[in-house]
Every structure is written in structure tokens, then in C-alpha cells.
Amino acid sequence: LCVTNPEMQKEFIENYKKIIDDNPSATHFMIGQEDTQTFCNCQRCQAEIKKYNGSVSMLMINFTNNVVKALNGHISEFSPHRKVDFCMFAYQPTIIPPVKKVGGKFVPLFDLQLEPNIAVMFAPLGANTAESLLGTANSGIYSNLQKWQLITDKFGFWLYTADFSDYLVPYDWWTGLKENIELMSNYNTYMYFNQDAHGDQYNAPCFQTLKLYLNSKLSWNSKL
């Protein structure tokens, strides 16, 4: 998807209207960065990235905002009593927020006015899961999260507790789990998802079962 191509954006919006209309009970929709580090390399996109000081996330924000603005109009016209929220991914090349340092403090790169029903789904890919996001090893990722607060006050979190090189390795991620869940409660979080290996009572090893148990209990009550 070329996010700066107006014809492609128009087609995307029309397709998304159908998705919304076909799912009348759905209240949340996502417009996500693809699962890749690459981004469109057409001349228009590259010129926009250069214009925004190398910020890929700014292109995704502009695209998401334009799409959601059109979808909000569609919903208001055809389903005026329906409340729908959207989110975009802060993930892969879009995890770095569009901010700059001015006078020793970070400020938004450009004047942004997000639609009020857009949240950011923050995915700390590459975090050391043996520590919380507040741990020393994750200082860079946590810094990105803090900077995203300059752009929005609505967040979703997509965490990772699977070992993608070997799903059965019982490596420690539970040490930082409680602290992470408590941290997320401070971010006006509408959704929390923890991507992990599949497990159930029949074929999950014991540490996997422990992970599932802790995650489910602490998600309901982080004070346990």
C-alpha cells in the first residue's frame, strides 16, 4: 500500500466502508503497518519522508487520519448512533514517533490534529522481555513510548512473550510482566494483547502454563 497515493487511498477508504458496514457490532478497527521493515519506495513517499525529516510514522499518521476522517463521515451519515474507534500501529519502521528536540525538550515534529477516535497501538518489538519496559535494557523503547504521548493520549499495547526462535524454550519474561501491566494502566490503554506461543492444558509445557496463568490473572488485577 502506497500511503501517499490519492487514488489508492480513495480505494482503501471505499473498501474499509464495506468492512465497517459488514460488521455492525464491531467497535474497534485497526489500520496497521505491515509486518515488515520496508516501506513504499516510490518517489512520492520518499519525498514525503524527506519532507518530514525522515519520519516514516508521519506518513502513516497522515494516511490514518485522512482515512478515519472519511470513515467518521460515513458512519455519521449511515449509522449516526454508532461509536467506532480506530488505531494505527507504532511498529517496525513506524515505532519511532514524529518528534524533534527543541531547547532540550521533545516536541511534535509538525502541528498534528488527530481525529479524536484514533489510538496508537504500541508494539515494543525487540524489547528484552526478561525486564519490564522500564528496565535499563529497554530504555530506548520506553523513550519512544514516552514521546508518543506527545502525539496522542490513547494507547493500545501489543506485547511479545513468545520466543520466536524456539517456542518451547521457558525463558524468563514473567519478571517484568507485573510492572509492564501496571505501566500500561497509566497510558489510557483501551486494549492489551500479549502475543505468545499457543498453549493449553493438554500440550503446553509447565512454564508456558505459568505464563498464561500470570498473564490472565495480572491482566484483571495488576495489584496481585
Side-chain angles (χ1 to χ4, degrees):
L1 176 65
C2 175
V3 296
T4 62
N5 184 317
E7 291 303 314
M8 194 170 289
Q9 186 174 122
K10 182 179 177 181
E11 184 69 17
F12 184 91
I13 290 169
E14 291 306 310
N15 289 335
Y16 223 121
K17 286 178 183 177
K18 187 173 187 312
I19 292 171
I20 290 171
D21 293 343
D22 288 346
N23 296 273
S25 63
T27 58
H28 289 83
F29 292 90
M30 187 170 185
I31 300 172
Q33 155 68 27
E34 294 179 351
D35 194 11
T36 172
Q37 276 287 354
T38 59
F39 208 76
C40 181
N41 60 2
C42 76
Q43 288 185 348
R44 186 190 287 109
C45 280
Q46 292 306 307
E48 285 291 295
I49 291 171
K50 186 176 181 180
K51 169 185 169 184
Y52 291 121
N53 297 350
S55 175
V56 175
S57 59
M58 192 67 198
L59 271 67
M60 200 68 204
I61 286 173
N62 285 338
F63 175 79
T64 304
N65 213 30
N66 290 338
V67 168
V68 171
K69 193 176 294 185
L71 296 177
N72 282 342
H74 175 77
I75 294 165
S76 178
E77 181 178 358
F78 295 100
S79 306
H81 302 297
R82 186 176 178 187
K83 185 180 183 301
V84 175
D85 291 308
F86 297 88
C87 74
M88 61 161 281
F89 242 150
Y91 171 67
Q92 296 278 28
T94 58
I95 194 172
I96 300 173
V99 299
K100 60 184 176 181
K101 206 167 191 178
V102 176
K105 57 186 283 189
F106 285 99
V107 297
L109 193 60
F110 291 88
D111 190 21
L112 296 170
Q113 190 62 50
L114 281 178
E115 287 291 291
N117 57 334
I118 295 178
V120 167
M121 178 75 76
F122 188 79
L125 190 65
N128 181 345
T129 55
E131 294 186 19
S132 77
L133 293 178
L134 295 173
T136 304
N138 296 322
S139 59
I141 291 174
Y142 180 59
S143 175
N144 279 333
L145 175 58
Q146 290 178 300
K147 292 169 189 173
W148 270 110
Q149 284 190 292
L150 299 173
I151 309 300
T152 181
D153 63 351
K154 297 185 176 108
F155 284 89
F157 285 88
W158 185 306
L159 300 188
Y160 303 90
T161 52
D163 183 340
F164 292 100
S165 60
D166 191 335
Y167 287 111
L168 298 181
V169 170
Y171 75 110
D172 172 20
W173 66 263
W174 45 84
T175 302
L177 178 66
K178 178 179 169 66
E179 197 169 21
N180 274 341
I181 291 177
E182 289 179 333
L183 171 68
M184 288 184 291
S185 68
N186 298 323
Y187 279 82
N188 193 15
T189 302
Y190 81 95
M191 174 186 152
Y192 159 53
F193 173 68
N194 204 335
Q195 185 173 348
D196 200 355
H198 174 72
D200 58 43
Q201 60 180 320
Y202 299 109
N203 54 29
C206 58
F207 278 100
Q208 175 66 16
T209 306
L210 172 64
K211 289 162 75 174
L212 295 171
Y213 174 79
L214 289 174
N215 191 57
S216 62
K217 297 293 283 188
L218 289 169
S219 295
W220 282 108
N221 182 4
S222 64
K223 303 302 180 186
L224 293 175

